[in-house]
Amino acid sequence: GDGTRLLRRRPDVRQAERSAEAATARIGVAMAERYPKVSLGLSAASVGYLNKLGHADTLTWGIGPLISWTLPNTGVVEARVAQAEAGDRAALAQFDQVVLKALQETETALQAYARELDRHDALVAARDEAQHVAQQARRLYVNGKVAFLNTLDADRNLAQAEAALAASDGQLADDQIQLFLALGGGWQP
């Protein structure tokens, strides 16, 4: 698949991206404080004796706008905007660091996996060759051409080749898991 989409699946990359988005949004919130805030207010009350509570002649209400603005003290607002912008730069730097780390981990995992695939192929060839030599040694022993020690030596070499191949199979599985983790993992086939 697309490498960018695979890396975006990583939880650390997603968290850093959300942090950067939140820091950018905080700039907008800080900049909004430069402008007046208008809100509507509604109040209701009942004035009078308890037995008249809720009657039309004892009810009062009011509705109106409320405007607030920190016009003469804009230095505080500008300082908050500057603080939000600095936070945004820090969040973007953190995001860059997380992405670079993710790329490094992915590249390392890919290289280890590719190296182990090459080693595995070489071990398969070595095991096949050792198997062929062991079969020939058995045939020669049965026909009386070589001593039994040669057959044992060929069988030992075959067993060593099979053991190395089995260890490579395990390492290949470990490297594949590390690659899946580096790419974010968790996807379904």
Side-chain angles (χ1 to χ4, degrees):
D2 180 23
T4 303
R5 277 191 283 148
L6 288 174
L7 285 178
R8 279 187 138 168
R9 297 176 61 101
R10 287 177 56 118
D12 56 345
V13 172
R14 286 186 303 195
Q15 180 183 7
E17 186 177 18
R18 297 299 177 265
S19 295
E21 289 170 355
T24 302
R26 281 192 284 278
I27 292 174
V29 170
M31 290 178 91
E33 292 180 15
R34 292 177 176 165
Y35 306 104
K37 294 178 188 165
V38 178
S39 56
L40 283 176
L42 173 69
S43 65
S46 180
V47 180
Y49 294 111
L50 220 53
N51 61 357
K52 298 274 188 175
L53 186 66
H55 288 261
D57 56 342
T58 63
L59 288 179
T60 63
W61 60 275
I63 188 169
L66 176 63
I67 299 175
S68 63
W69 195 6
T70 57
L71 183 61
N73 192 6
T74 58
V76 173
V77 173
E78 294 304 320
R80 287 184 185 148
V81 170
Q83 178 185 17
E85 288 173 346
D88 184 52
R89 286 191 301 274
L92 288 175
Q94 177 67 23
F95 175 74
D96 288 345
Q97 179 184 6
V98 168
V99 169
L100 289 174
K101 180 182 175 199
L103 286 171
Q104 179 187 18
E105 289 175 358
T106 302
E107 177 129 359
T108 302
L110 279 170
Q111 286 177 354
Y113 185 63
R115 261 194 325 270
E116 191 59 36
L117 277 175
D118 292 343
R119 181 175 174 265
H120 186 268
D121 290 344
L123 287 173
V124 166
R127 189 259 340 249
D128 292 346
E129 184 63 29
Q131 193 172 29
H132 180 70
V133 168
Q135 288 172 349
Q136 286 181 343
R138 277 189 221 106
R139 231 182 275 131
L140 290 173
Y141 172 71
V142 168
N143 291 329
K145 304 267 184 194
V146 294
F148 187 65
L149 189 58
N150 292 343
T151 305
L152 287 177
D153 191 38
D155 286 340
R156 178 184 54 82
N157 288 338
L158 176 61
Q160 286 176 343
E162 287 176 343
L165 184 60
S168 177
D169 285 338
Q171 185 61 46
L172 200 58
D174 287 344
D175 289 345
Q176 192 175 29
I177 289 169
Q178 290 303 315
L179 178 60
F180 289 161
L181 289 174
L183 290 174
W187 55 85
Q188 299 299 323

